[in-house]
């Protein structure tokens, strides 16, 4: 019976570790710039002309948290410019139907002609919109974002390795408990140590070589985010300091980084 437990533990360990390895290879292959982007650059939402080296707020948001983070950034941006009202109940209301870039226009279209819609529905519509896909396609073409085929690989793969390691421990405990009297339990547990060492070794390598585990940015994209290779302010648009700082914090860290409690409540109450 203990052989069956060992087989299950070994298969789980091998498959989970192999998935992490495949995801790491896929991410490494996408870390090199592929070709110049075919679409026109999306202007910086706070007024940059789109030609200075660096990242726009939209690009920072996508690399940090994907299209949903980008959707949160444009909603808060338009709210700070008094073109939208984000209620703490999780509804977005159009105050002034004026868009300054394609993503803002997509936001107004997502809210619809009634001028009011729940934020989760607006976010879902934006994620699938062509304007947001254009931001993603440009980042992928520049080698800064992971393509859909390589995402989300490493993070979920590491979670599976942790689950496989726990399964190995549980299987070893069950095999030890069901072992017949007089069985060599040291040898039995020694066999289970092999898949456990495989899992722990893979986790150690992933921790030092692949951390932080990203779902959106490549290594090159991670280095372009503020606080990495770029000097602070190298591409920050000219805007009032407090709103700009809030938007950058939102783009990099998510709604929990917002200092405005009303905006934070609006995004969190809507399932952000």
């Amino acid at each position: 019976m203990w052989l069956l437990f060992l087989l299950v533990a070994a298969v789980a360990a091998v498959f989970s570790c192999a998935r992490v390895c495949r995801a790491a290879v896929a991410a490494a292959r996408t870390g090199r710039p592929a070709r110049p982007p075919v679409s026109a650059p999306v202007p910086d939402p706070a007024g940059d002309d789109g030609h200075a080296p660096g990242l726009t707020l939209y690009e920072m948001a996508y690399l940090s948290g994907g299209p949903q983070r980008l959707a949160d950034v444009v909603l808060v941006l338009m709210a700070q410019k008094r073109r939208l009202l984000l209620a703490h109940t999780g509804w977005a209301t159009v105050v002034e139907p004026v868009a300054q870039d394609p993503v803002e226009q997509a936001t107004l279209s997502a809210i619809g002609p009634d001028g009011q819609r729940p934020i989760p529905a607006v976010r879902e519509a934006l994620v699938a919109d062509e304007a947001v896909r254009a931001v993603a396609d440009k980042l992928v073409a520049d080698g800064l974002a992971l393509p859909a085929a390589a995402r989300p690989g490493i993070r979920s793969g590491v979670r599976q390795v942790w689950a496989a390691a726990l399964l190995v421990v549980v299987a070893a405990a069950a095999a030890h408990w069901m072992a017949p009297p007089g069985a060599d339990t040291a040898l039995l547990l020694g066999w289970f140590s092999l898949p456990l060492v495989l899992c722990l070794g893979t986790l150690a390598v992933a921790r030092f070589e692949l951390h932080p585990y990203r779902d959106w940015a490549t290594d090159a994209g991670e280095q372009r985010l503020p606080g990495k290779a770029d000097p602070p302010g190298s591409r920050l648009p000219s805007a009032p300091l407090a709103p700009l700082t809030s938007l950058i914090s939102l783009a990099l860290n998510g709604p929990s980084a917002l200092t405005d409690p009303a905006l934070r409540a609006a995004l969190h109450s809507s399932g952000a």
Side-chain angles (χ1 to χ4, degrees):
M1 177 62 71
W2 71 270
L3 286 175
L4 179 60
F5 286 114
L6 177 61
L7 179 62
V8 172
V11 169
V14 169
F15 273 92
S16 61
C17 294
R19 180 180 179 186
V20 171
C21 293
R22 288 197 303 268
V25 170
R29 287 176 177 174
T30 59
R32 299 182 297 271
R35 55 181 173 79
V38 296
S39 58
V42 178
D44 191 291
D48 195 284
D49 64 5
H51 297 289
L55 298 173
T56 67
L57 280 170
Y58 293 156
E59 291 168 343
M60 283 190 284
Y62 185 90
L63 292 178
S64 299
Q68 293 197 356
R69 182 74 58 78
L70 192 159
D72 287 340
V73 165
V74 68
L75 286 170
V76 173
L77 171 69
M78 296 181 72
Q80 289 183 346
K81 292 185 176 181
R82 303 295 189 271
R83 295 202 293 272
L84 290 182
L85 173 64
L86 304 182
H88 70 280
T89 54
W91 283 75
T93 303
V94 177
V95 177
E96 183 179 359
V98 176
Q100 295 184 348
D101 58 60
V103 179
E104 289 190 4
Q105 183 59 55
T107 304
L108 296 175
S109 300
I111 295 174
D114 293 337
Q116 190 176 50
R117 195 177 184 187
I119 293 177
V122 177
R123 187 185 292 111
E124 182 180 354
L126 277 174
V127 166
D129 192 87
E130 180 67 29
V132 174
R133 287 200 301 269
V135 176
D137 291 344
K138 177 181 181 297
L139 291 169
V140 171
D142 290 343
L144 302 179
L146 292 170
R151 192 185 67 232
I154 295 176
R155 186 189 300 271
S156 59
V158 167
R159 286 196 294 262
Q160 285 193 359
V161 176
W162 276 111
L166 179 61
L167 177 62
V168 172
V169 173
V170 172
H176 181 271
W177 179 68
M178 298 182 64
D184 189 350
T185 55
L187 178 62
L188 182 149
L189 295 178
W191 279 108
F192 279 95
S193 68
L194 297 178
L196 183 61
V197 168
L198 176 62
C199 291
L200 296 180
T202 301
L203 290 172
V205 172
R207 177 63 178 81
F208 288 103
E209 298 294 335
L210 305 175
H211 188 77
Y213 313 125
R214 297 180 298 273
D215 288 339
W216 305 102
T218 63
D219 289 338
E222 181 75 12
Q223 292 300 316
R224 296 284 290 277
L225 292 172
K228 302 296 182 179
D230 285 349
S234 61
R235 180 64 190 284
L236 303 184
S238 55
L241 180 60
L244 178 60
T245 302
S246 178
L247 285 169
I248 294 175
S249 297
L250 170 63
L252 298 177
N253 303 305
S256 60
L258 287 171
T259 56
D260 188 330
L263 292 176
R264 188 168 61 246
L267 294 181
H268 278 299
S269 66
S270 63

